[in-house]
């Protein structure tokens, strides 16, 4: 288990010494090796069987599921866009046109949400799922079952969003969901909009699981010799994307949990006149701006790969290209207020954010030039993937130049809320999607083993490119049209009609793509390992499609080029995967460090489990139930209706399904092995589950940070002392709880010590002590809260109460999750587990200590200050 | 900030656009548009030219020396100097443009309270202050003497109008395209903005932030009238109907500009 057992340690410092027993068995190319990979041995049904797609945990299968699902959402979001374009054919009065006002607002909002969340990122992550392990030389992701969980959560979150349309209508407040329009008081579609918010929260859960998984994989499973800065550009772009996702989506999760609570618990955050409205814009854009790069980076990665292959040149200034991406990823977290230039922020702050905004645009100039210069002295082949990537670069240049207009604050003042913004971000975002379609055409032969019709591919590109520009360029011309409005100036009509025609052309172009790719599955010409000359990355060195475990041996770049070493996995390397990991209903995931540490013959990695589906189904049903809840005591705040008992019942069923599935997945024997030789800098000495726990805790820090920040923001706006009614008069319960938690951290350490000493009663006793202390914490809190409720301090009584109950409530939820895991640990210890294997307890301890530390912040903030 | 503004803009006095918001916007917008178009044509043109010149099969200039090999560790394609030269050029263009507009930003920011600068170009230096409140789905305006109007803003010609904008319910955004003025209307906050009321007539006031079902129709009107008419109006000596007799269509078309 520990890294000490490993035959050797690789670092990124260039000292990757290899074990002598690992021999180079094959030089490239190695056609067809591994094609005979047997499926039955892994209990994975064949590709043709429906069951396979429900149980698979293989990264390539999951990648295909992601891609197919995201294309479905492309059609969904695209249809909504076409409805909007029909409405905009001419200026309409409120009742005119095919959509009424509310329906139009729903279409606008759902189009934005679906395209940003359910189409473009998952589409990129379909490609990433399929290709990143191949490119870095890994058999799969670190936690294959968690990868499947990510996918199913994604699918179910989209379904939940779809169902929200049938709950009286979905969310209608724009994809930016500005407060306080986003609370039920102003939302005529109360349950539907709650459900849409919850769908987003479920999506964030999927993203968080996925981010942790990719980070752990990319830091722990690279082929020997593949240092971090030597990753193929697509993989580099994904690495930076998941880093941004880990933190940015945590901020979004905070915003969504607060919003959900405003919907179903009656808290007062966003309705509060003490800056509730601004709080949302801060939280949303702190997520929202990195999101732009989260969407665009994978597209940059695809462009770089495709440009290199089809020009037959290496990327010019490769290291500066990657350095630019790193710079952008870091800076992306300090530009969010440029979305808020017209709110009441002062000149100093505006100046600062103007500067950071210009700063973040410059690295993109370098990347654009780098791509252009890569073409020089190349041998450019205008294949479908290249056309799409080339087109994407053209569109991105236009999007970038028009973005500089918005960077000039004086112009931004006038362009805010107009079609200039709409046109600009569609050139950037849909420009990015253009590159991703290029990526699909680039890797389709790898995924299917078939080539599509190149002519139809080019027809698609021409229709797409013409349609795109006909759709979005007129929006620059009539940029004075206000966003999300169908009653525009009649003088703009011809331009809007051109845009509508362009929209339909763009939509129709996809019919060509779907036809081409679908038919080619059967009739396409077989391709070999590598249909594209000058492709260099590892996915092209294996068969198309690649075998189940990707490589015919252990990939290594020791000699400077890719070779495959003899498979020499010592049995001690065998580990379990997701048995240690559990997903939880609080929207984030909690790593449950337990599992089946059986010794197992290597080479029989598991690839099938139904429980990721079960867990996600359970969460889906649970979230359906939460959407049906309404605050008990604040009917005046909630426009229509009371709780929906049917939905709530469904939620109850969901909790049961979730619990059973979590337990079953934890108990399920599931084996994954880690390659004995891999680049693991800088985490060579951090075991993968531990690394995963740390990554997750990193995002949890942002989640709590956002909650605490929200409290501080609201209190500061109200007036820290004079404007804020501190209703907690007795800090003693809080103080008692501080000591209870601190003591419980200590008893977790005792459990580890006992495990090391192979003392089963000691382990059980220490774990149960921890459990009892945690229960004591909750009982104490229960008494405190009921006392407060009796005094009229309910969550809906005011912003003071809202912040207190929600922030400490989120913490209590973390405690409860910890207790569930503790029970499981104790039960396993009863069966004799963990003796000499204290890692699961250690990883639980990390989580538990973190929960303690959070309380050490919450206690003074809410009880003393 | 004003002191800082004048300090910065002394050498730029002639360069930095000043005047009404319309003047300022038009000047900067056109410079950006012309430069942006130029840069776009050069860069995209260069792309196409290279794509054409180095197309496969034209047999020239191809560097066969060091072709990318399958399975190689990713390597750098060189040409770092050229890259940095172009990057430097683009950075200079972008940064100088933004710094240039920053001077104007300081100027614009200085006018929303107190006496306007002489650069604004109005004779009557007294600003007209109007408290504006957005509500679903209209705007209400409160004048300095306490008079209130709904859906109609009446201002005197040739004066600086300073707006104090807030909202009664949700997040709105008030914009008068004719005068290039726009500011958020946020519940619990007050934002400030200003414009010069030129050209008597009737123009649209539009909401630029999605605020619910009536958002598309949340249009109010601004009536720019001569000073005497304005005074009569706010002193209740004339009614809205007398003022709103001004030409509807000219206002609508003007909003299109």
């Amino acid at each position: 288990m520990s890294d000490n057992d490993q035959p050797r340690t690789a670092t990124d410092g260039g000292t990757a010494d290899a074990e002598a027993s690992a021999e180079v068995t094959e030089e490239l190319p190695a056609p067809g090796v591994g094609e005979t990979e047997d499926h039955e041995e892994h209990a994975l049904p064949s590709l043709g069987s429906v069951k396979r797609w429900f149980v698979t945990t293989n990264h390539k299968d999951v990648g295909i599921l992601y891609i197919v699902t995201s294309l479905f959402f492309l059609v969904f979001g695209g249809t909504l866009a076409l409805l909007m374009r029909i409405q905009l054919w001419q200026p309409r009065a409120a009742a005119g046109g095919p959509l009424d006002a509310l329906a139009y607002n729903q279409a606008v909002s759902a189009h934005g949400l679906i395209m940003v969340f359910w189409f473009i990122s998952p589409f990129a992550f379909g490609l990433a799922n399929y290709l990143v392990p191949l490119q870095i030389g890994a058999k799969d992701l670190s936690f294959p079952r968690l990868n499947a969980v990510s996918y199913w959560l994604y699918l179910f979150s989209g379904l939940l969003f779809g169902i929200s349309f049938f709950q009286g209508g979905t969310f209608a407040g724009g994809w930016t969901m500005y407060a306080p329009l986003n609370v039920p008081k102003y939302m005529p579609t109360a349950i539907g909009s709650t459900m849409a918010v919850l769908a987003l929260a479920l999506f964030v859960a999927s993203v968080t699981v996925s981010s942790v998984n990719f980070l752990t994989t990319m830091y722990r499973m690279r082929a020997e010799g593949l240092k971090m800065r030597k990753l193929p550009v697509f993989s580099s772009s994904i690495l930076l994307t998941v880093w941004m996702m880990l933190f940015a989506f945590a901020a979004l999760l905070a915003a969504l949990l607060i919003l959900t609570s405003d919907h179903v618990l009656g808290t007062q955050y966003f309705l509060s006149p003490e800056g509730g409205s601004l709080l949302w814009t801060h939280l949303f854009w702190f997520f929202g701006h990195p999101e732009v790069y989260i969407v665009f980076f994978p597209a940059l990665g695809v462009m770089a790969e495709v440009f290199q292959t089809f020009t037959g040149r290496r990327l010019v200034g490769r290291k500066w290209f990657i350095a630019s991406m790193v710079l952008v990823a870091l800076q992306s977290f300090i530009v969010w207020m440029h979305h808020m230039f017209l709110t009441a922020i002062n000149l100093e702050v505006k100046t600062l954010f103007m500067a950071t905004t210009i700063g973040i645009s410059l690295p993109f100039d370098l990347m654009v030039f780098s791509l252009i210069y890569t073409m020089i002295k190349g041998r450019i082949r205008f294949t479908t993937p290249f056309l799409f990537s080339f087109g994407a670069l053209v569109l991105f240049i236009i999007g970038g130049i028009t973005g500089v207009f918005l960077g000039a604050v004086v112009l931004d003042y006038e362009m805010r809320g107009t079609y200039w913004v709409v046109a600009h971000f569609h050139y950037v975002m849909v420009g990015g999607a253009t590159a991703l379609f290029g990526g699909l055409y680039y890797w389709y032969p790898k995924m299917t083993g078939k080539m599509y019709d190149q002519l139809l591919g080019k027809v698609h590109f021409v229709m797409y490119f013409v349609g795109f520009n006909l759709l979005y360029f007129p929006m620059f011309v009539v940029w004075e049209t206000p966003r999300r409005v169908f009653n525009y100036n009649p003088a703009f009509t011809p331009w809007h009609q051109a845009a509508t025609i362009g929209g339909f052309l763009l939509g129709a172009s996809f019919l060509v793509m779907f036809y081409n790719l679908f038919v080619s599955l059967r009739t396409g010409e077989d391709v070999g390992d590598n249909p594209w000359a000058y492709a260099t990355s590892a996915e092209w060195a294996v068969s198309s499609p690649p075998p189940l475990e990707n490589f015919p041996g252990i990939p290594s770049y020791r000699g400077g080029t890719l070779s495959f070493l003899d498979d020499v996995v010592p049995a001690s390397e065998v580990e379990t995967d997701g048995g240690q990991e559990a997903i939880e209903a609080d929207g984030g995931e909690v790593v449950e460090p337990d599992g089946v540490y059986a010794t197992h013959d290597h080479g029989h990695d598991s690839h099938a489990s139904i429980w990721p589906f079960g867990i996600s189904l359970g969460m889906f049903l649970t979230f359906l139930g939460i959407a049906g809840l309404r605050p008990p005591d604040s009917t005046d705040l909630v426009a229509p209706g009371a709780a929906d008992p049917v939905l709530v019942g469904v939620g109850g069923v969901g909790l049961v399904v979730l619990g059973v599935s979590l337990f079953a997945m934890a108990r399920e024997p599931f084996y994954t092995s880690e390659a004995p030789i891999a680049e693991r800098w800088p985490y060579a000495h951090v075991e993968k589950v531990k690394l995963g726990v740390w990554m997750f805790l990193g995002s949890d820090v942002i989640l709590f940070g956002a909650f605490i920040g929200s409290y501080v923001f609201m209190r500061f706006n109200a007036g820290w002392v004079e404007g804020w009614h501190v209703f907690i008069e007795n800090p003693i319960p809080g103080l008692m709880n501080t000591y209870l938690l601190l003591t419980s951290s200590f008893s977790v350490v005792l459990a580890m010590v006992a495990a090391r000493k192979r003392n089963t009663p000691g382990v059980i006793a220490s774990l149960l002590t921890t459990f009892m202390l945690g229960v004591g914490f909750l009982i104490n809190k229960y008494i405190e809260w009921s006392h407060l409720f009796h005094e009229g301090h309910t969550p809906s009584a005011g912003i003071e109460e809202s912040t207190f109950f929600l922030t400490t409530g989120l913490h209590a939820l973390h405690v409860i999750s910890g207790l569930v895991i503790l029970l499981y640990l104790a039960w396993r210890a009863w069966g004799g587990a963990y003796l000499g294997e204290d890692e699961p307890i250690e990883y639980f301890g990390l989580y538990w200590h973190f929960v303690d530390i959070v309380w050490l912040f919450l206690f003074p903030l809410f009880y003393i200050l | 900030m004003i002191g800082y503004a004048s300090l910065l803009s002394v050498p730029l006095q002639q360069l930095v656009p000043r005047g009404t918001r319309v003047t300022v916007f038009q000047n900067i917008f056109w410079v950006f548009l012309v430069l942006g178009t130029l840069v776009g044509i050069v860069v995209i043109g260069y792309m196409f030219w290279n794509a054409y010149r180095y197309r496969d099969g034209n047999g020239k200039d191809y560097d066969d020396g060091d072709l990318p090999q399958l399975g190689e560790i990713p390597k750098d394609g060189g040409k770092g100097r050229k890259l940095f030269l172009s990057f430097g050029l683009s950075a200079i263009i972008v940064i100088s443009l933004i710094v240039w507009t920053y001077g104007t930003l300081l100027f614009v920011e200085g006018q929303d309270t107190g006496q306007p600068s002489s650069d604004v170009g109005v004779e009557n230096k007294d600003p007209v202050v109007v408290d504006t409140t957005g509500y679903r789905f209209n705007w209400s305006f409160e004048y300095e003497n306490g008079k209130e109007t709904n859906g109609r803003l009446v201002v005197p010609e040739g004066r600086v109008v300073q707006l104090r904008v807030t909202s009664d319910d949700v997040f709105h955004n008030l914009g008068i395209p004719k005068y290039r003025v726009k500011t958020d209307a946020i519940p619990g906050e007050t934002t400030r903005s200003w414009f010069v009321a030129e050209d008597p007539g009737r123009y649209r006031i539009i909401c630029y932030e999605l605020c619910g079902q009536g958002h598309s129709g949340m249009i109010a009107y601004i009536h720019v009238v001569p000073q005497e008419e304005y005074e009569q109006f706010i002193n209740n000596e004339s009614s809205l109907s007398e003022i709103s007799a001004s030409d509807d269509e000219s206002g609508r078309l003007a909003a299109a500009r």
Side-chain angles (χ1 to χ4, degrees):
Chain A
M1 269 311 298
S2 99
D3 278 284
N4 301 336
D5 302 337
Q6 285 175 8
R8 29 75 61 220
T9 304
T11 71
D12 219 8
T15 56
D17 55 319
E19 187 76 350
S21 68
E23 284 171 14
V24 177
T25 52
E26 282 178 88
E27 295 292 340
L28 284 174
V33 173
E35 268 170 357
T36 54
E37 195 81 42
D38 43 348
H39 289 161
E40 62 281 4
E41 203 177 334
H42 313 284
L44 189 60
S46 75
L47 279 166
S49 114
V50 174
K51 187 185 168 201
R52 161 140 174 164
W53 300 97
F54 283 92
V55 299
T56 183
T57 62
N58 183 267
H59 73 98
K60 294 184 291 296
D61 294 351
V62 173
I64 286 170
L65 286 171
Y66 261 107
I67 290 171
V68 171
T69 311
S70 65
L71 289 174
F72 167 77
F73 282 107
L74 170 71
V75 174
F76 189 173
T79 308
L80 291 168
L82 292 179
L83 280 175
M84 283 150 57
R85 286 314 320 173
I86 294 170
Q87 179 84 358
L88 291 168
W89 182 254
Q90 59 190 58
R92 315 253 187 196
L99 301 176
D100 66 30
L102 187 61
Y104 184 78
N105 289 352
Q106 288 181 52
V108 166
S109 313
H111 163 72
L113 291 168
I114 287 172
M115 288 303 203
V116 169
F117 292 103
W118 281 285
F119 162 59
I120 190 162
S121 265
F123 185 48
F125 269 78
L127 296 176
N129 243 295
Y130 202 100
L131 291 151
V132 166
L134 283 164
Q135 287 199 334
I136 67 172
K139 280 201 284 195
D140 205 321
L141 290 175
S142 284
F143 310 107
R145 285 188 298 180
L146 286 190
N147 194 32
V149 168
S150 296
Y151 168 71
W152 290 112
L153 285 179
Y154 157 58
L155 176 69
F156 279 121
S157 68
L159 279 181
L160 193 59
F161 191 85
I163 293 173
S164 72
F165 278 89
F166 303 100
Q167 304 294 319
T170 188
F171 189 84
W175 87 275
T176 49
M177 309 171 87
Y178 269 21
L181 180 64
N182 57 9
V183 301
K185 181 177 179 184
Y186 297 111
M187 261 307 144
T189 57
I191 287 191
S193 57
T194 309
M195 202 173 277
V197 172
L198 282 162
L200 273 173
L202 198 57
F203 178 81
V204 177
S206 152
V207 165
T208 308
V209 177
S210 183
S211 306
V212 169
N213 209 346
F214 269 87
L215 283 170
T216 313
T217 305
M218 295 181 82
Y219 279 109
R220 292 275 310 170
M221 298 175 75
R222 280 166 289 136
E224 181 189 20
L226 202 59
K227 297 167 187 168
M228 285 312 279
R229 61 174 188 276
K230 291 294 183 192
L231 291 177
V233 183
F234 178 69
S235 289
S236 299
S237 73
I238 295 297
L239 177 74
L240 292 164
T241 305
V242 287
W243 269 119
M244 288 189 285
M245 279 163 58
L246 187 71
F247 298 122
F249 274 91
L252 179 65
L253 183 61
L256 293 171
L257 290 182
I258 294 174
L259 183 56
T260 304
S261 154
D262 275 8
H263 278 239
V264 302
L265 301 176
T267 49
Q268 299 286 296
Y269 276 81
F270 296 126
L271 266 178
S272 165
E274 277 92 37
S277 209
L278 281 183
L279 174 67
W280 176 267
T281 53
H282 281 293
L283 288 175
F284 183 82
W285 290 117
F286 184 81
F287 148 78
H289 206 81
E291 170 67 6
V292 175
Y293 306 114
I294 288 168
V295 165
F296 197 72
F297 269 29
L300 269 176
V302 170
M303 278 191 251
E305 297 283 341
V306 170
F307 266 67
Q308 292 189 99
T309 295
F310 295 102
T311 60
R313 305 286 301 170
R314 298 183 185 89
L315 189 62
V316 166
R318 184 181 185 278
K319 60 174 177 282
W320 299 112
F321 191 95
I322 290 171
S324 298
M325 288 203 291
V326 173
L327 209 59
V328 169
L330 291 171
Q331 280 193 72
S332 68
F333 289 95
I334 51 166
V335 296
W336 81 94
M337 279 170 80
H338 72 215
H339 297 272
M340 303 164 60
F341 279 146
L342 283 177
T343 61
I345 55 177
N346 65 31
L347 183 61
E348 287 80 359
V349 176
K350 279 178 196 166
T351 307
L352 179 67
F353 278 86
M354 188 185 85
T356 57
T357 301
I358 294 311
I360 206 168
S361 77
L362 298 178
F364 282 105
D365 296 2
L366 189 139
M367 289 187 253
V368 166
F369 287 122
S370 166
L371 287 171
I372 295 176
Y373 290 150
T374 300
M375 294 193 294
I376 290 177
K377 290 194 198 280
R379 181 173 285 175
I380 301 173
R381 284 146 294 140
F382 291 93
T383 56
T384 309
F386 184 76
L387 286 174
F388 271 92
S389 293
F390 187 85
L393 188 56
V394 172
L395 301 175
F396 180 61
I397 290 169
I398 298 172
I401 290 173
T402 52
V404 174
F405 285 62
L406 297 168
V409 182
V410 187
L411 296 185
D412 181 77
Y413 279 173
E414 319 307 332
M415 289 170 164
R416 149 112 166 78
T418 66
Y419 268 55
W420 189 278
V421 179
V422 176
H424 158 69
F425 74 67
H426 279 92
Y427 263 89
V428 174
M429 306 271 259
V430 191
T434 310
L436 295 177
F437 292 123
L440 183 60
Y441 279 115
Y442 182 52
W443 282 301
Y444 177 89
K446 178 52 60 186
M447 295 172 177
T448 62
K450 304 284 186 181
M451 184 54 84
Y452 44 84
D453 185 332
Q454 281 286 340
L455 180 66
L456 280 182
K458 287 171 188 173
V459 168
H460 175 206
F461 174 73
V462 171
M463 287 171 72
Y464 180 100
F465 198 73
V466 172
F468 181 110
N469 286 291
L470 191 58
L471 169 58
Y472 297 119
F473 201 81
M475 295 184 187
F476 284 124
V477 180
V478 289
W479 67 268
E480 292 197 60
T481 315
R483 275 175 86 172
R484 297 151 168 172
V485 153
F486 46 81
N487 181 7
Y488 58 84
N489 191 307
F492 299 160
T493 309
W495 295 101
H496 279 292
Q497 293 185 344
T500 300
I501 293 167
F504 275 89
L505 183 57
L506 183 63
S509 78
F510 284 100
L511 299 179
V512 179
M513 181 180 93
F514 290 136
Y515 170 79
N516 192 5
L517 297 188
F518 186 73
V519 166
S520 302
L521 277 181
R522 286 181 167 277
T523 61
E525 232 176 274
D526 284 331
V527 292
D529 294 358
N530 182 10
W532 313 118
Y534 310 122
T536 62
S537 42
E539 73 269 26
W540 304 108
V542 292
S543 62
S544 308
L548 190 66
E549 291 183 358
N550 292 347
F551 301 105
I554 303 169
S556 166
Y557 285 91
R558 190 195 308 162
T561 56
L562 179 63
S563 56
F564 298 112
L565 310 181
D566 259 338
D567 206 345
V568 284
V569 185
S572 64
E573 289 303 307
V574 175
E575 292 181 19
T576 60
D577 154 52
Q580 303 105 341
E581 313 261 340
I583 308 301
E584 264 201 359
D586 68 356
E589 86 276 50
V590 164
V591 179
E592 183 186 331
D594 181 34
V596 185
Y597 284 81
T599 50
H600 189 81
D601 292 338
H602 85 271
H604 294 277
D605 282 9
S606 312
H607 295 284
S609 169
I610 190 64
W611 301 115
F613 176 79
I615 287 172
S616 310
L617 177 68
M619 282 190 72
F620 165 69
L621 297 175
T622 307
F623 273 50
L624 264 178
I626 299 173
L629 295 174
R630 294 290 104 177
D633 60 340
S634 53
T635 42
D636 57 319
L637 295 171
V638 183
D644 182 331
V646 177
L647 282 179
V648 175
V650 168
V653 174
L655 269 180
V656 174
V657 173
L658 177 62
V660 169
S661 303
L662 277 173
F663 184 74
M665 186 160 119
R667 294 300 305 139
E668 176 182 54
F670 192 90
Y671 305 103
T672 57
S673 57
E674 257 191 332
I677 304 175
E679 289 294 337
R680 297 189 169 118
W681 182 87
Y683 297 115
H685 299 291
V686 187
E687 194 273 324
K688 70 172 183 180
V689 180
K690 190 176 190 174
L691 186 60
V693 175
W694 277 115
M695 297 292 182
F696 165 69
L697 291 181
S699 88
D700 223 19
V701 166
I702 300 290
L703 179 70
F704 273 108
F707 268 82
I708 292 172
S710 302
Y711 159 73
V712 171
F713 183 84
M714 299 304 280
R715 185 163 174 182
F716 189 78
N717 264 290
W720 189 266
V721 177
E722 70 279 7
W724 194 263
H725 169 59
V726 181
F727 66 95
I728 294 176
E729 283 147 4
N730 180 11
I732 297 304
L735 189 65
M736 280 167 61
N737 269 347
T738 311
Y739 287 116
L740 283 174
L741 276 191
L742 283 176
T743 316
S744 73
S745 260
F746 184 65
S747 58
V748 174
V749 176
L750 288 183
M752 271 173 68
V753 173
R756 243 174 251 159
K757 289 184 176 163
R758 302 181 158 275
N759 173 0
T760 296
V763 175
I764 298 172
S766 311
L767 290 175
L768 286 181
T769 307
T770 313
F771 181 79
M772 292 316 293
L773 288 165
V775 170
F777 175 93
L778 290 176
I779 291 174
N780 189 16
K781 189 175 274 298
Y782 174 79
I783 295 170
E784 180 199 19
W785 281 23
S786 20
H787 191 67
L788 290 170
F789 287 163
H790 278 299
E791 288 176 351
H793 297 298
T794 59
S796 54
I799 184 64
E800 292 88 347
E801 283 85 354
S802 296
T803 50
F804 171 78
F805 285 112
L806 193 59
T807 313
T808 57
L810 179 72
H811 177 265
L813 216 56
H814 275 71
V815 171
I816 293 169
S817 314
L819 294 184
V820 172
I821 299 168
L822 264 173
L823 270 188
Y824 179 76
L825 290 178
W827 178 72
R828 293 268 300 126
W830 184 264
Y834 311 131
L835 298 183
E837 295 264 18
D838 62 337
E839 286 88 354
I841 300 175
E842 182 192 350
Y843 304 154
F844 168 75
L846 288 177
Y847 170 74
W848 193 251
H849 301 325
F850 169 75
V851 174
D852 278 11
I853 292 168
V854 169
W855 182 256
L856 292 182
F857 282 93
L858 297 187
F859 173 63
L861 273 172
F862 284 98
Y863 288 85
I864 298 176
L865 288 176
Chain B
M1 274 341 279
I2 303 294
Y4 177 47
S6 49
L7 193 73
L8 182 90
S9 52
V10 165
L12 299 169
Q13 201 71 48
Q14 301 307 309
L15 274 174
V16 173
R18 284 149 176 266
T20 66
R21 300 198 79 142
V22 179
T23 319
V24 160
F25 179 84
Q26 293 299 356
N27 286 349
I28 294 178
F29 182 71
W30 279 105
V31 169
F32 271 63
L33 200 59
V34 168
L35 269 178
T37 310
L38 264 176
V39 169
I41 287 173
V42 168
V43 174
I44 293 173
Y46 184 67
M47 260 181 85
F48 275 95
W49 183 73
N50 274 319
Y52 174 76
R53 178 163 179 214
Y54 298 107
R55 70 194 183 278
D56 189 29
N58 81 339
K60 64 177 176 193
D61 288 330
Y62 191 65
D63 182 358
D64 273 318
D66 185 21
L67 288 169
Q69 300 295 320
L70 179 60
E72 71 179 22
I73 289 192
K75 291 181 203 152
D76 210 300
K79 298 204 199 75
R81 272 182 66 189
K82 196 171 177 180
L83 186 60
F84 272 89
L85 191 67
S86 356
F87 167 67
L89 274 176
S90 74
I92 289 169
I93 295 176
V94 171
I95 292 174
S96 61
L97 273 177
I98 298 295
V99 169
W100 174 64
T101 64
Y102 187 64
T104 303
L105 175 66
L106 294 176
F107 167 76
V108 169
E109 291 278 300
Q111 314 305 319
D112 58 14
T113 183
Q115 282 232 332
S117 143
S118 53
D119 289 328
V120 171
V122 291
E123 284 172 14
N124 186 343
K125 285 286 183 67
D126 270 348
V128 178
V129 180
V130 184
D131 287 325
T132 307
T133 306
Y135 60 93
R136 304 203 317 164
F137 296 96
N138 214 330
W139 300 94
S140 77
F141 306 95
E142 187 183 339
Y143 304 85
E144 282 156 300
N145 65 356
K147 182 183 171 75
E148 269 190 62
T149 54
N150 273 311
R152 296 274 188 277
L153 168 62
V154 180
V155 294
E157 185 196 0
R159 299 262 300 270
V160 167
V161 181
Q162 293 176 342
L163 298 170
R164 308 279 178 269
V165 182
T166 187
S167 164
D168 261 354
D169 39 46
V170 303
F171 202 124
H172 301 276
N173 177 295
L174 175 138
I176 311 174
K178 162 79 179 168
Y179 297 118
R180 297 287 177 220
V181 59
K182 196 173 282 173
T183 191
D184 285 333
I186 309 168
E189 309 280 330
T190 302
T191 60
R192 294 190 307 224
S193 199
W194 66 281
F195 63 95
V196 178
E198 302 167 295
D199 307 331
R202 192 188 114 140
Y203 313 99
R204 287 183 176 198
I205 300 173
I206 298 175
C207 177
Y208 283 89
E209 183 59 57
L210 184 58
C211 56
Q213 268 172 291
H215 171 61
S216 279
M218 185 166 161
I219 297 168
Y221 289 91
I222 176 171
H223 299 262
V224 179
V225 297
Q227 180 71 30
E228 317 83 72
E229 229 178 287
Y230 169 72
E231 278 165 21
Q232 284 169 11
F233 175 73
I234 63 165
N235 294 322
N236 295 320
E237 288 158 18
S238 69
S239 72
L240 253 176
S241 57
E242 289 167 51
I243 284 172
S244 57
S246 35
D247 186 8
D248 193 2
E249 273 314 294
S250 77
R252 178 172 290 211
L253 285 176
R257 274 188 57 237

